[in-house]
Amino acid sequence: MPNYETPNIAEAKKILRGQEIAAPDRMLKLADALRQEDAFSYARQLFGRLRKSPLTEPELAKAKETDDGVRRILGEREARVVLAQKHALCTYKDWDIPADTRLERALEILGEAERLDGTRDSETLRLAGSIHKHKWKLTGQKQRLERAACYYRRGFEQGPELDYGYTGIKAAFILDQLAGIESAEACKAGASSEVATARAQQAEEIRRTLTDKLPPLAEKEPQLEEHWWFTITLAEAYFGLGQYEEAGAWLKKARRLVEEGADEKKRVADWELETATRQLASLARLRAARENGLAEAAMETTRAWETLQELVRIDGRNYDAALRSAFTGKVGLSLSGGGFRASLFHIGVLAKLAERDALRSVEVLSCVSGGSIIGAHYYLEVRRLLQEKSDTEITREDYIAIVKRIEREFLEGVQRNLRVRAMAEVTTNLKTVFKKNYSHTERIGELFER
């Protein structure tokens, strides 16, 4: 979600509040523009409204005949299916909804348009696979990866020409993930896994199929090189095969699309760049672990890291921190409960992490009770920092300053706390001992009246 209110978000708010009425074609284009801006919550609500209205499909059918924007969004498929697919996508990417709820709801939306156990629509299969992959990330349940692999494989089997290899490259990635899990389990028992080896071979076969079939498509249809997912899919296929020179060439083409994406029709959304970068980094880690057990700390010395620089070395932006995060994975910080004592302890932890310049790597906070006080304060401070400065401008000193402000403001708040003041007063403690009808509650009442 953008840190500021864009014109599209402002218009969406008016429509959702009933202050403006928009025709289905305008609402469709607005929702798709919001999706490109990563404003998934507003896009989700607009797609949901479109799907509920009985006027949507006939109106869009008329608009499709004359409006290039509507034609581009719907393509040759039924409006009903396309709207469900986009609604599902924006639902599972809407961070305003709890993770398990949004993922389950996204599957329901897809199921309302088509039977997931029988569909051959590559976009529906791609989305179903993505949702189950996210469920695996959330729960760690291997069967979710198995389900994702099934959907992606079925999409690939329809022919890589239909979706330009997208479901195929995802299937190969999931197969490598499963191979990594099974190989690690076998290693714990001092054995090797034939299943893991077979999965890795299947992943390699899929990538070789893609590198055989997709380049000729680009020769026949040169405009495909202006298509983000086509270029990044081919780059990943070569990358997964360890053919880094060919991968680097396609990553340069993908980077050019990001740099030249001022036109709304060609703009590469930030989430698309992040998704591709994280998947390539994960693939590099899997290959390193399988081939030579390279430690993550040494990943920056590899050919894989050097190759990925071709994607993120974008004019006017510095994505080194994002690339490093993609290689190491998300770092979380958990702040436990325990009242004010826990809060004070967590301030010390944050201070040490800030001194080590480790706070910039923290992407997830998990807090409870006393830890929530500091966690919420820290989150608000970091959000303000990110709104005021770009990633490249943020330094170690910025995080140190944040922790110092938290320390100062928390201490001031505690000192004004009536319960703390009553408990800390020597005279009050003596009165509660020697005066029969006097207690700390009486003293808190006196302080409150003041």
Side-chain angles (χ1 to χ4, degrees):
M1 176 76 77
N3 292 326
Y4 55 91
E5 186 173 284
T6 66
N8 287 329
I9 290 176
E11 185 178 352
K13 283 182 176 180
K14 290 178 181 178
I15 294 172
L16 294 170
R17 290 168 180 166
Q19 296 171 345
E20 284 187 8
I21 297 176
D25 59 334
R26 175 57 197 148
M27 200 181 298
L28 174 68
K29 289 187 283 188
L30 176 60
D32 201 57
L34 288 165
R35 177 185 65 84
Q36 288 291 325
E37 292 178 1
D38 298 357
F40 295 111
S41 182
Y42 293 108
R44 170 183 62 80
Q45 294 175 72
L46 290 177
F47 281 126
R49 286 201 178 189
L50 282 168
R51 292 184 63 230
K52 286 180 181 178
S53 173
L55 299 175
T56 295
E57 290 188 49
E59 289 292 328
L60 290 181
K62 292 179 185 177
K64 188 176 176 181
E65 296 176 3
T66 57
D67 192 320
D68 289 339
V70 173
R71 195 178 302 118
R72 175 181 59 82
I73 295 170
L74 295 181
E76 300 301 321
R77 293 170 295 170
E78 293 181 64
R80 174 184 62 83
V81 176
V82 174
L83 289 174
Q85 291 168 345
K86 292 186 178 295
H87 189 196
L89 170 69
C90 294
T91 297
Y92 92 74
K93 287 186 174 293
D94 185 357
W95 289 85
D96 290 341
I97 305 174
D100 54 345
T101 302
R102 58 187 164 88
L103 293 173
E104 202 58 44
R105 176 59 187 141
L107 281 176
E108 290 172 2
I109 291 168
L110 287 177
E112 290 165 3
E114 297 184 277
R115 285 180 59 93
L116 296 183
D117 59 354
T119 182
R120 292 291 183 269
D121 187 295
S122 58
E123 177 66 7
T124 297
L125 292 168
R126 176 188 78 82
L127 288 166
S130 296
I131 293 166
H132 279 286
K133 182 178 72 173
H134 280 81
K135 277 179 167 283
W136 165 70
K137 290 180 179 178
L138 183 66
T139 64
Q141 296 174 341
K142 183 185 167 189
Q143 61 264 38
R144 294 298 183 183
L145 272 186
E146 297 275 7
R147 188 85 64 88
C150 289
Y151 285 125
Y152 285 139
R153 286 291 294 270
R154 199 193 313 164
F156 171 67
E157 288 163 4
Q158 308 312 305
E161 300 85 359
L162 291 178
D163 64 354
Y164 303 127
Y166 188 93
T167 49
I169 206 66
K170 294 293 185 182
F173 177 74
I174 295 298
L175 287 168
D176 270 336
Q177 288 276 5
L178 287 166
I181 292 170
E182 287 154 353
S183 179
E185 287 299 314
C187 283
K188 291 177 184 178
S192 60
S193 172
E194 294 181 4
V195 174
T197 301
R199 289 193 194 276
Q201 289 173 348
Q202 290 168 11
E204 184 169 327
E205 288 169 8
I206 290 173
R207 292 189 181 105
R208 292 198 183 283
T209 299
L210 296 180
T211 56
D212 287 342
K213 292 191 174 183
L214 294 186
L217 281 180
E219 293 175 7
K220 292 180 183 177
E221 305 175 56
Q223 71 274 15
L224 285 177
E225 293 194 13
E226 302 298 315
H227 190 289
W228 163 257
W229 287 115
F230 182 85
T231 57
I232 207 68
T233 294
L234 252 177
E236 184 178 335
Y238 284 117
F239 191 89
L241 292 171
Q243 298 177 22
Y244 294 120
E245 185 173 343
E246 293 86 348
W250 282 97
L251 287 174
K252 285 181 182 178
K253 295 177 183 181
R255 185 186 70 203
R256 179 174 53 81
L257 295 178
V258 177
E259 292 172 339
E260 297 176 356
D263 182 348
E264 183 179 323
K265 294 180 181 179
K266 297 181 180 179
R267 190 175 80 84
V268 177
D270 287 344
W271 70 266
E272 292 176 314
L273 177 59
E274 180 185 358
T275 298
T277 304
R278 286 193 180 278
Q279 181 150 318
L280 286 166
S282 296
L283 184 57
R285 290 203 311 272
L286 286 169
R287 285 184 59 86
R290 188 166 64 237
E291 292 171 4
N292 50 24
L294 189 66
E296 288 182 356
M299 287 300 295
E300 293 184 30
T301 65
T302 64
R303 183 72 189 280
W305 172 277
E306 180 184 338
T307 304
L308 272 183
Q309 290 284 332
E310 296 293 352
L311 176 61
V312 299
R313 197 180 293 123
I314 297 170
D315 289 344
R317 311 186 209 177
N318 187 325
Y319 282 107
D320 278 352
L323 181 57
R324 194 169 291 107
S325 169
F327 265 91
T328 59
K330 287 188 176 181
V331 176
L333 178 62
S334 178
L335 304 179
S336 63
F340 286 155
R341 287 179 301 174
S343 298
L344 292 166
F345 176 80
H346 295 323
I347 291 173
V349 171
L350 290 175
K352 190 62 177 179
L353 291 174
E355 289 175 5
R356 288 177 168 268
D357 200 20
L359 284 179
R360 67 171 67 247
S361 301
V362 174
E363 298 183 50
V364 180
L365 278 176
S366 177
C367 312
V368 63
S369 189
S372 300
I373 301 170
I374 300 303
H377 198 163
Y378 175 73
Y379 162 75
L380 293 171
E381 289 283 353
V382 171
R383 185 179 69 170
R384 183 170 63 181
L385 176 64
L386 293 173
Q387 289 172 342
E388 293 173 350
K389 293 185 176 184
S390 67
D391 286 347
T392 54
E393 296 172 323
I394 296 173
T395 65
R396 167 178 171 270
E397 283 65 34
D398 289 313
Y399 285 99
I400 291 175
I402 282 176
V403 178
K404 285 183 176 178
R405 280 199 300 275
I406 293 173
E407 178 186 357
R408 183 180 64 253
E409 293 171 10
F410 181 75
L411 184 58
E412 290 173 358
V414 169
Q415 288 172 339
R416 288 196 301 267
N417 183 278
L418 298 183
R419 186 178 66 175
V420 172
R421 287 173 61 188
M423 295 295 181
E425 290 176 340
V426 176
T427 54
T428 299
N429 289 329
L430 290 173
K431 278 186 180 181
T432 59
V433 174
F434 296 107
K435 288 189 71 173
K436 184 177 181 181
N437 297 321
Y438 192 82
S439 66
H440 284 103
T441 303
E442 294 285 341
R443 180 55 180 160
I444 290 173
E446 292 171 1
L447 291 171
F448 182 76
E449 288 175 357
R450 291 182 185 178

